[in-house]
Amino acid sequence: MHRMNFREPEPKTIAGARGDWEMVIGLEVHAQVSSKSKLFSGSSTEFGAEPNSNVDFVDAAMPGMLPVINEFCVEQAVRTGLGLKAKINLRSEFDRKNYFYPDLPQGYQISQLYHPIVGEGEVTVETRQGFARRVRIEHLHLEQDAGKSLHDLDPNCSYVDLNRTGVALMEIVSYPDIRSPEEAAAYILKLRQILRFLGTCDGNMQNGNLRADVNVSVRPKGSSNLGIRCEIKNMNSTKFIQQAIDYEARRQVAILEDGGKVVQETRLYDASSGTTRSMRSKEEAHDYRYFPCPDLLPLEISKEWVDSVAAGIPELPDEKKARFIREFGVTPYDADVLTAEADNAAYFEDVAAGRDGKTAANWVINELFGRLNKDGKSVSESPVSASQLGAILDLLAAKDISGKIAKEVFEIVWNEGGDPAMIVEERGLKQVTDERAIRSAVEMVLEANPDQVERARANPKVAGWFVGQVMKSTGGKANPAQVNAIVRELLEL
Ligand code: ADP
Ligand code: MG
């Protein structure tokens, strides 16, 4: 496997009265498994359904109802573990995490505290080209989501929607390896990209399908001890995560510089004031009275099954990026853009196959992605298919059309569809390379502009103006290099 060589970025520091402080950050990311049904019941996970319409007896915790594990969700957790280059545990166990909340009918959440399904792994987080931090994953476990309390529908009461209750979540816990707000954001986005490549979570942060608890502490720069941390709960915006970390780290530095102690607690970020505030003191495992869930047997999976899941893992972002650079000669930056989404990468590969990689990258990034962005479309909705774009690039490579006409053909295909070669043929867009035709077009422009001819002879830069005029008079079809040569020849430059 190709491994990129990276340098480690500097930690973000905060200047204090007696020296610099550095930030230490660890994330617990909750990723909703892309599954049609819940972790322990058959009810639907559809987003935005009528409240309490996707709730069955297990979700509602009716007495005597037993959970049944959803094999598909287990497979997605294993896929994700493999994508994080992590150890897969062939035996894992479910525990009950007990707490009371109106949106938790069982009175406990089924989770995996002691024996998670996935062990240690790692994610490479590139903050800028050539600089990356390896963030170690401590573990990944499966757990149920809770329901949702709605407090703003009625002035006098709260409502509970249980549609979300029991939906499968993967909690991905990192080691405290992250050293700046930017790295934290890049880490989440990298996780999101990997999950989307794997298809195990759609990564929709707005819908809360990917959200993070952010643990922040500070320590004197260069220290290898860990400071006392605070945990900022339930963040689903990379922008706010960065703001929250920045605020929280400064708050802690101020306390420590004042001779105080940071209190380990759970805090909430308030986006309107840009500050964090205390929510509750830090709870420990014993506060939840964890114990093995008596309704579920330990989960045992076979090595053969894990191997068969591994065989279905697609090429992941890091490997794809390295291969695009190697195989197609694109820049690291372009490779990042092209591999941001698996669909985009596949489209590019179709266009680049058997063609010049750099030209293909230019066209896909600047013309296609640019145009898609403008219309708010994704690659899968592109009116121009990869084979149509490829055909335009073939016409360009064969010098049948100029770059300018190629853009015109692209626009025609975008609006009307059709075969690029036929469009060029039928609309007479073929590039004129006939020496005599170009010469006579140049002559006509020179004759019509005697003053400019004088000027150009005195100042050769003016020759460019003639090239432009000839291109215009030929409807952009003349071969620009030939026009340029003939203009210079006839102007005697
Ligand atoms: P808990 O069991 O209380 O949830 P963990 O040790 O499992 O605590 O850590 C939870 C998260 O907090 C992990 O992502 C970890 O990397 C992070 N973390 C732990 N200690 C620190 C620290 N001192 N500073 C920043 N993050 C930390
Ligand atoms: Mg935790």
Side-chain angles (χ1 to χ4, degrees):
M1 189 181 72
H2 184 90
R3 268 216 157 179
M4 310 263 270
N5 283 321
F6 291 111
R7 274 181 287 166
E8 277 216 334
E10 283 291 308
K12 171 132 184 205
T13 56
I14 296 171
R18 288 186 304 276
D20 284 349
W21 298 82
E22 68 180 38
M23 302 180 178
V24 175
I25 302 152
L27 263 56
E28 298 162 276
V29 171
H30 291 91
Q32 181 175 326
V33 176
S34 291
S35 162
K36 291 206 168 82
S37 51
K38 297 183 181 179
L39 183 54
F40 298 115
S41 83
S43 44
S44 167
T45 59
E46 187 199 343
F47 181 82
E50 178 77 9
N52 297 309
S53 60
N54 293 330
V55 186
D56 84 355
F57 293 131
V58 173
D59 309 322
M62 290 298 160
M65 293 299 118
L66 292 173
V68 177
I69 186 112
N70 179 338
E71 181 179 338
F72 181 79
C73 293
V74 173
E75 184 179 336
Q76 302 319 300
V78 169
R79 273 174 77 78
T80 305
L82 293 166
L84 300 175
K85 304 182 176 21
K87 177 172 181 286
I88 307 299
N89 295 324
L90 299 183
R91 182 188 165 102
S92 61
E93 290 177 14
F94 289 97
D95 304 294
R96 286 185 180 178
K97 178 183 183 178
N98 299 281
Y99 64 94
F100 171 80
Y101 210 74
D103 63 19
L104 189 75
Q106 289 170 146
Y108 55 83
Q109 176 192 29
I110 302 178
S111 181
Q112 299 188 302
L113 178 69
Y114 302 107
H115 302 285
I117 186 161
V118 175
E120 291 186 334
E122 70 169 36
V123 177
T124 303
V125 180
E126 222 178 324
T127 37
R128 58 194 162 101
Q129 295 303 338
F131 287 83
R133 178 92 57 202
R134 267 183 227 297
V135 177
R136 293 166 302 151
I137 302 296
E138 200 226 299
H139 79 267
L140 173 157
H141 69 254
L142 274 169
E143 64 182 29
Q144 306 172 289
D145 205 350
K148 197 173 169 190
S149 300
L150 304 158
H151 303 295
D152 50 7
L153 290 182
D154 190 290
N156 301 313
C157 69
S158 289
Y159 288 89
V160 173
D161 176 7
L162 295 182
N163 281 351
R164 225 182 163 116
T165 310
V167 165
L169 300 179
M170 298 179 282
E171 180 168 337
I172 304 167
V173 181
S174 86
Y175 277 99
D177 288 347
I178 299 166
R179 294 286 176 273
S180 71
E182 296 72 30
E183 275 174 49
Y187 167 76
I188 294 223
L189 292 176
K190 185 61 177 285
L191 260 190
R192 178 176 186 275
Q193 185 190 21
I194 294 171
L195 295 168
R196 285 176 58 83
F197 266 58
L198 293 165
T200 56
C201 167
D202 68 14
N204 188 330
M205 296 182 78
Q206 262 150 31
N207 291 358
N209 296 353
L210 190 71
R211 49 194 202 260
D213 299 338
V214 181
N215 296 271
V216 182
S217 66
V218 295
R219 64 185 178 191
K221 189 181 175 191
S223 160
S224 52
N225 298 330
L226 288 176
I228 294 174
R229 73 187 139 120
C230 287
E231 176 176 357
I232 311 162
K233 273 279 173 209
N234 225 0
M235 311 274 312
N236 66 348
S237 139
T238 52
K239 182 178 140 192
F240 292 153
I241 285 173
Q242 295 184 71
Q243 291 174 0
I245 293 172
D246 214 63
Y247 174 86
E248 181 56 24
R250 282 170 204 286
R251 187 187 72 87
Q252 292 179 14
V253 165
I255 291 173
L256 295 170
E257 294 230 310
D258 223 32
K261 274 207 170 89
V262 174
V263 179
Q264 186 169 340
E265 63 184 357
T266 301
R267 299 179 69 86
L268 275 183
Y269 180 66
D270 174 11
S272 60
S273 63
T275 61
T276 62
R277 69 182 138 81
S278 181
M279 179 180 160
R280 58 174 185 246
S281 67
K282 171 70 188 168
E283 68 289 350
E284 303 289 339
H286 62 251
D287 294 324
Y288 288 113
R289 297 287 182 265
Y290 274 99
F291 66 89
C293 182
D295 290 341
L296 289 157
L297 290 168
L299 177 61
E300 289 187 359
I301 54 181
S302 71
K303 168 120 190 359
E304 291 69 40
W305 185 69
V306 173
D307 289 344
S308 75
V309 175
I313 298 286
E315 186 180 39
L316 291 169
D318 289 344
E319 287 79 42
K320 209 182 268 298
K321 176 181 178 183
R323 184 169 63 78
F324 278 13
I325 295 170
R326 206 168 59 232
E327 239 171 63
F328 300 111
V330 302
T331 62
Y333 177 81
D334 284 355
D336 271 336
V337 177
L338 294 167
T339 57
E341 299 277 350
D343 282 354
N344 298 11
Y347 186 104
F348 164 72
E349 274 203 80
D350 283 348
V351 176
R355 303 192 175 93
D356 178 58
K358 279 190 166 155
T359 311
N362 264 334
W363 273 78
V364 169
I365 293 171
N366 299 319
E367 301 308 316
L368 183 83
F369 293 171
R371 194 70 174 78
L372 288 169
N373 274 345
K374 209 168 112 192
D375 282 23
K377 286 191 159 81
S378 69
V379 154
S380 60
E381 302 162 320
S382 172
V384 178
S385 71
S387 70
Q388 284 169 315
L389 180 52
I392 296 175
L393 297 192
D394 290 341
L395 293 163
L396 196 56
K399 299 209 161 58
D400 281 347
I401 54 175
S402 65
K404 184 167 172 286
I405 296 289
K407 288 181 188 175
E408 230 176 279
V409 175
F410 178 86
E411 200 54 35
I412 294 170
V413 177
W414 180 281
N415 292 316
E416 305 164 29
D419 171 22
M422 297 249 287
I423 292 170
V424 167
E425 203 55 56
E426 283 168 10
R427 309 201 185 190
L429 296 173
K430 239 193 163 104
Q431 176 158 256
V432 177
T433 50
D434 174 29
E435 172 87 23
R436 293 224 321 263
I438 295 178
R439 190 172 286 274
S440 83
V442 174
E443 281 166 355
M444 268 163 63
V445 174
L446 293 187
E447 273 160 33
N449 299 284
D451 298 355
Q452 279 292 82
V453 171
E454 286 312 307
R455 243 169 262 146
R457 283 187 175 139
N459 175 9
K461 281 188 189 150
V462 180
W465 181 83
F466 283 101
V467 176
Q469 292 301 305
V470 175
M471 293 309 292
K472 209 186 246 175
S473 76
T474 57
K477 288 184 293 184
N479 176 302
Q482 279 175 294
V483 173
N484 192 40
I486 294 169
V487 163
R488 295 184 152 269
E489 181 201 321
L490 296 184
L491 285 173
E492 293 156 22
L493 294 176

